Amino acid sequence: MDRRSFEILLIEDDADDAELTILALRKHHLINPIHHIDDGEQALDFLFGPENNPSLILLDLKMPRVDGVQILRKLKSDPEKQEIPVVALISSKEGKTYLESFDVKPDAYMVKPVDYKQFWTVVSEMGLCSMIVCSPSENSPN
């Protein structure tokens, strides 16, 4: 996979949390495309639409109408989508317990607000750091 085609999908209904996440990533010169969707239904429409396969999903759990648990269940039960890495965005350590109570697990967790060092740690643990593109020569957190 071309590093520049590594697309990140941020599914987050809180505008402030989304903005902080994107700013944290852009502050460190991350140049991978980041798509933001603020609604669970729209996220499902996007994910299961034609040719929409993000390389990484940052997923808020608590959203109105269609929440992150429903999105994660649908992704992990679909043979074509289940391999997309999903990072659950949780507001506290209790969020992990909350999600696991539904017997569905993401590939990783990040506590909000997301910061770049935390993001780098998670993508490193997932073996994705070779796909993250930073400019100029920003390939690790400061």
Side-chain angles (χ1 to χ4, degrees), residues 67-81:
D67 67 15
V69 174
Q70 293 168 296
I71 293 169
L72 185 58
R73 271 196 181 126
K74 186 154 175 132
L75 283 168
K76 294 303 180 183
S77 67
D78 186 284
E80 293 182 20
K81 305 288 181 179

Side-chain angles (χ1 to χ4, degrees), residues 90-105:
I90 55 179
S91 50
S92 68
K93 298 286 184 189
E94 289 78 36
K96 182 176 179 181
T97 305
Y98 166 80
L99 183 57
E100 289 174 351
S101 72
F102 290 97
D103 199 31
V104 62
K105 293 183 182 176

Side-chain angles (χ1 to χ4, degrees), residues 14-112:
D14 184 290
D16 292 334
D17 284 346
E19 183 177 356
L20 287 172
T21 298
I22 293 168
L23 283 173
L25 298 178
R26 295 293 185 220
K27 177 183 174 190
H28 290 275
H29 310 287
L30 181 100
I31 61 174
N32 296 85
I34 302 172
H35 301 285
H36 173 227
I37 297 176
D38 63 1
D39 177 272
E41 279 186 19
Q42 290 175 2
L44 285 175
D45 289 345
F46 176 85
L47 287 164
F48 291 92
E51 300 182 33
N52 290 327
N53 284 312
S55 305
L56 174 67
I57 298 171
L58 304 178
L59 177 63
D60 181 30
L61 296 181
K62 296 185 178 180
M63 295 184 292
R65 298 187 327 173
V66 175
D67 67 15
V69 174
Q70 293 168 296
I71 293 169
L72 185 58
R73 271 196 181 126
K74 186 154 175 132
L75 283 168
K76 294 303 180 183
S77 67
D78 186 284
E80 293 182 20
K81 305 288 181 179
Q82 65 187 358
E83 296 302 319
I84 300 172
V86 178
V87 178
L89 302 177
I90 55 179
S91 50
S92 68
K93 298 286 184 189
E94 289 78 36
K96 182 176 179 181
T97 305
Y98 166 80
L99 183 57
E100 289 174 351
S101 72
F102 290 97
D103 199 31
V104 62
K105 293 183 182 176
D107 298 283
Y109 299 88
M110 270 194 268
V111 177
K112 296 190 288 185

Side-chain angles (χ1 to χ4, degrees), residues 20-21 24-25 28 56 58 87-93 108-126 129 132 140-142:
L20 287 172
T21 298
L25 298 178
H28 290 275
L56 174 67
L58 304 178
V87 178
L89 302 177
I90 55 179
S91 50
S92 68
K93 298 286 184 189
Y109 299 88
M110 270 194 268
V111 177
K112 296 190 288 185
V114 170
D115 68 37
Y116 184 74
K117 287 182 182 180
Q118 180 185 24
F119 175 79
W120 190 262
T121 298
V122 169
V123 298
S124 295
E125 289 171 358
M126 296 172 73
C129 44
I132 303 301
S140 62
N142 295 326

